[in-house]
Amino acid sequence: SQQGEEDPQALSIQEGENATMNCSYKTSINNLQWYRQNSGRGLVHLILIRSNEREKHSGRLRVTLDTSKKSSSLLITASRAADTASYFCATDAAGANSKLTFGKGITLSVRP
Amino acid sequence: NAGVTQTPKFQVLKTGQSMTLQCAQDMNHNSMYWYRQDPGMGLRLIYYSASEGTTDKGEVPNGYNVSRLNKREFSLRLESAAPSQTSVYFCATNRDRGMDTQYFGPGTRLTVL
């Protein structure tokens, strides 16, 4: 069963614009991670935010976490054509048998 | 460092054939995972190995077996392939299960006819 659900499913923007992607989850988590997947490749880790953190930055990426709403957002600022990829949120559910559970992904297209 | 490697990159099987997907890592990580990725389904965990000598079922283990051969290698076996196992298979590793980022291999694209 999917823990994380991304929104929207697909996003198309112009180069230079900001892209905002959202993820909602159902149960308490230890951390939430975002991954990127370029076409035909494996997933690459972007950023991890722990349950006691509210915001984190990495370069052009900003991630927020609202544990009261069980949601996270990934903001990519000043997007580039090279940001075109699928983006996945993954949650590490709290508990003794926690495993990383991935959402279905968001397809981001950045038009040059 | 190669990171996480997977072989083969592509494979076509006939229904009922068997094969083993290989995964190796040189990151000295304890935990290793096998996922499958299907269109519109995201990644689903098949099996994982929290440490050398242990393996556990994930979300979709039916039709698969795994072997954690040593700390570096984790293989996935399809004993009797079915068309429903047509998918892209990814191996991933991390330092310890659940508390760290995962590093993915490039994937194996499997088609079962």
Side-chain angles (χ1 to χ4, degrees):
Chain A
S1 60
Q2 234 72 33
Q3 159 78 310
E5 295 277 346
E6 296 98 341
D7 171 63
Q9 289 188 331
L11 182 61
S12 181
I13 59 173
Q14 199 74 33
E15 203 166 27
E17 293 180 337
N18 295 342
T20 299
M21 292 168 270
N22 302 300
C23 172
S24 60
Y25 57 92
K26 296 173 184 167
T27 62
S28 296
I29 59 171
N30 292 318
N31 67 62
L32 185 144
Q33 304 176 36
W34 285 91
Y35 288 79
R36 184 186 74 220
Q37 183 181 34
N38 289 90
S39 182
R41 311 295 275 282
L43 278 71
V44 175
H45 177 259
L46 294 176
I47 195 164
L48 179 153
I49 186 164
R50 302 201 184 277
S51 59
N52 61 353
E53 297 175 313
R54 293 295 166 259
E55 187 170 314
K56 208 160 180 183
H57 296 253
S58 176
R60 293 185 295 114
L61 306 179
R62 181 173 79 103
V63 170
T64 60
L65 179 65
D66 186 334
T67 53
S68 67
K69 294 182 180 177
K70 291 186 168 61
S71 68
S72 171
S73 67
L74 171 67
L75 169 68
I76 303 175
T77 60
S79 64
R80 305 166 182 169
D83 294 327
T84 294
S86 293
Y87 292 81
F88 295 84
C89 73
T91 52
D92 170 32
N97 294 317
S98 61
K99 294 184 285 289
L100 205 58
T101 304
F102 289 81
K104 296 180 182 180
I106 297 170
T107 301
L108 172 66
S109 298
V110 181
R111 303 185 302 275
Chain B
N1 287 347
V4 183
T5 57
Q6 290 183 238
T7 55
K9 286 191 168 64
F10 301 93
Q11 184 71 49
V12 179
L13 294 177
K14 294 181 180 176
T15 297
Q17 287 186 317
S18 62
M19 80 160 295
T20 300
L21 282 65
Q22 306 285 357
C23 174
Q25 53 104 357
D26 61 4
M27 307 177 81
N28 201 32
H29 284 170
N30 290 316
S31 300
M32 299 184 75
Y33 309 80
W34 277 107
Y35 295 91
R36 60 178 288 173
Q37 184 177 34
D38 302 291
M41 297 293 292
L43 273 78
R44 291 181 292 170
L45 182 64
I46 305 171
Y47 269 94
Y48 65 98
S49 171
S51 61
E52 187 179 352
T54 69
T55 60
D56 285 287
K57 294 178 181 179
E59 184 184 351
V60 289
N62 291 345
Y64 305 95
N65 285 302
V66 290
S67 295
R68 183 73 183 266
L69 304 168
N70 46 56
K71 191 171 186 178
R72 291 187 63 247
E73 297 171 292
F74 188 37
S75 62
L76 178 72
R77 182 158 178 84
L78 288 71
E79 288 292 350
S80 179
S84 61
Q85 293 178 305
T86 293
S87 188
V88 182
Y89 292 85
F90 288 100
C91 176
T93 75
N94 66 1
R95 181 170 50 86
D96 289 297
R97 179 169 61 89
M99 292 298 291
D100 205 350
T101 65
Q102 293 191 7
Y103 296 83
F104 282 79
T108 294
R109 190 172 295 272
L110 175 67
T111 301
V112 183
L113 302 174

PDB file of all heavy atoms in Angstrom, chain A residues 15 27 35 45 49 67 82 95 97 110:
ATOM      1  N   GLU A  15      11.072  27.159 -18.260  1.00  0.00           N
ATOM      2  CA  GLU A  15      12.382  27.330 -17.626  1.00  0.00           C
ATOM      3  C   GLU A  15      12.436  28.669 -16.884  1.00  0.00           C
ATOM      4  O   GLU A  15      11.942  29.687 -17.382  1.00  0.00           O
ATOM      5  CB  GLU A  15      13.474  27.288 -18.710  1.00  0.00           C
ATOM      6  CG  GLU A  15      14.847  26.917 -18.202  1.00  0.00           C
ATOM      7  CD  GLU A  15      15.792  26.548 -19.336  1.00  0.00           C
ATOM      8  OE1 GLU A  15      15.600  27.042 -20.462  1.00  0.00           O
ATOM      9  OE2 GLU A  15      16.702  25.740 -19.105  1.00  0.00           O
ATOM     10  N   THR A  27       0.609   7.811   7.996  1.00  0.00           N
ATOM     11  CA  THR A  27       0.965   7.442   9.363  1.00  0.00           C
ATOM     12  C   THR A  27       2.173   8.238   9.824  1.00  0.00           C
ATOM     13  O   THR A  27       2.864   8.886   9.033  1.00  0.00           O
ATOM     14  CB  THR A  27       1.270   5.940   9.455  1.00  0.00           C
ATOM     15  OG1 THR A  27       2.399   5.652   8.623  1.00  0.00           O
ATOM     16  CG2 THR A  27       0.085   5.111   8.991  1.00  0.00           C
ATOM     17  N   TYR A  35      13.239  11.956  -3.959  1.00  0.00           N
ATOM     18  CA  TYR A  35      14.145  11.380  -4.934  1.00  0.00           C
ATOM     19  C   TYR A  35      13.771  11.868  -6.323  1.00  0.00           C
ATOM     20  O   TYR A  35      12.615  12.193  -6.597  1.00  0.00           O
ATOM     21  CB  TYR A  35      14.052   9.841  -4.917  1.00  0.00           C
ATOM     22  CG  TYR A  35      14.656   9.186  -3.703  1.00  0.00           C
ATOM     23  CD1 TYR A  35      13.980   9.148  -2.497  1.00  0.00           C
ATOM     24  CD2 TYR A  35      15.915   8.587  -3.776  1.00  0.00           C
ATOM     25  CE1 TYR A  35      14.537   8.550  -1.384  1.00  0.00           C
ATOM     26  CE2 TYR A  35      16.480   7.967  -2.666  1.00  0.00           C
ATOM     27  CZ  TYR A  35      15.784   7.953  -1.472  1.00  0.00           C
ATOM     28  OH  TYR A  35      16.337   7.345  -0.377  1.00  0.00           O
ATOM     29  N   HIS A  45      18.818  10.283  -4.663  1.00  0.00           N
ATOM     30  CA  HIS A  45      18.349  10.979  -3.475  1.00  0.00           C
ATOM     31  C   HIS A  45      18.592  12.477  -3.602  1.00  0.00           C
ATOM     32  O   HIS A  45      19.677  12.923  -4.020  1.00  0.00           O
ATOM     33  CB  HIS A  45      19.077  10.443  -2.251  1.00  0.00           C
ATOM     34  CG  HIS A  45      18.719  11.146  -0.998  1.00  0.00           C
ATOM     35  ND1 HIS A  45      19.508  12.117  -0.425  1.00  0.00           N
ATOM     36  CD2 HIS A  45      17.627  11.049  -0.200  1.00  0.00           C
ATOM     37  CE1 HIS A  45      18.920  12.566   0.654  1.00  0.00           C
ATOM     38  NE2 HIS A  45      17.787  11.930   0.816  1.00  0.00           N
ATOM     39  N   ILE A  49      14.271  15.059   5.182  1.00  0.00           N
ATOM     40  CA  ILE A  49      13.851  15.931   6.279  1.00  0.00           C
ATOM     41  C   ILE A  49      13.302  15.035   7.388  1.00  0.00           C
ATOM     42  O   ILE A  49      12.502  14.126   7.131  1.00  0.00           O
ATOM     43  CB  ILE A  49      12.823  16.986   5.795  1.00  0.00           C
ATOM     44  CG1 ILE A  49      12.511  17.974   6.921  1.00  0.00           C
ATOM     45  CG2 ILE A  49      11.553  16.356   5.234  1.00  0.00           C
ATOM     46  CD1 ILE A  49      11.816  19.250   6.446  1.00  0.00           C
ATOM     47  N   THR A  67       3.992  17.990  10.010  1.00  0.00           N
ATOM     48  CA  THR A  67       3.568  16.699  10.560  1.00  0.00           C
ATOM     49  C   THR A  67       2.126  16.733  11.055  1.00  0.00           C
ATOM     50  O   THR A  67       1.475  15.683  11.100  1.00  0.00           O
ATOM     51  CB  THR A  67       4.495  16.257  11.708  1.00  0.00           C
ATOM     52  OG1 THR A  67       4.584  17.309  12.656  1.00  0.00           O
ATOM     53  CG2 THR A  67       5.885  15.919  11.189  1.00  0.00           C
ATOM     54  N   ALA A  82      17.126  20.749 -17.395  1.00  0.00           N
ATOM     55  CA  ALA A  82      17.734  19.544 -16.816  1.00  0.00           C
ATOM     56  C   ALA A  82      16.981  19.030 -15.592  1.00  0.00           C
ATOM     57  O   ALA A  82      17.232  17.906 -15.147  1.00  0.00           O
ATOM     58  CB  ALA A  82      19.188  19.818 -16.434  1.00  0.00           C
ATOM     59  N   GLY A  95       8.155   3.101  13.740  1.00  0.00           N
ATOM     60  CA  GLY A  95       7.804   1.753  14.196  1.00  0.00           C
ATOM     61  C   GLY A  95       8.982   0.824  14.083  1.00  0.00           C
ATOM     62  O   GLY A  95       9.952   1.074  13.408  1.00  0.00           O
ATOM     63  N   ASN A  97       9.408  -1.968  12.571  1.00  0.00           N
ATOM     64  CA  ASN A  97       9.669  -2.588  11.267  1.00  0.00           C
ATOM     65  C   ASN A  97       9.578  -1.571  10.143  1.00  0.00           C
ATOM     66  O   ASN A  97       9.074  -1.873   9.070  1.00  0.00           O
ATOM     67  CB  ASN A  97       8.664  -3.725  11.019  1.00  0.00           C
ATOM     68  CG  ASN A  97       8.867  -4.858  11.996  1.00  0.00           C
ATOM     69  OD1 ASN A  97       9.991  -5.255  12.267  1.00  0.00           O
ATOM     70  ND2 ASN A  97       7.779  -5.352  12.552  1.00  0.00           N
ATOM     71  N   VAL A 110      10.113  20.659 -17.794  1.00  0.00           N
ATOM     72  CA  VAL A 110      10.538  22.046 -17.824  1.00  0.00           C
ATOM     73  C   VAL A 110      10.850  22.409 -19.265  1.00  0.00           C
ATOM     74  O   VAL A 110      11.780  21.869 -19.871  1.00  0.00           O
ATOM     75  CB  VAL A 110      11.777  22.279 -16.933  1.00  0.00           C
ATOM     76  CG1 VAL A 110      12.166  23.751 -16.966  1.00  0.00           C
ATOM     77  CG2 VAL A 110      11.498  21.828 -15.510  1.00  0.00           C
TER      78      VAL A 110
END
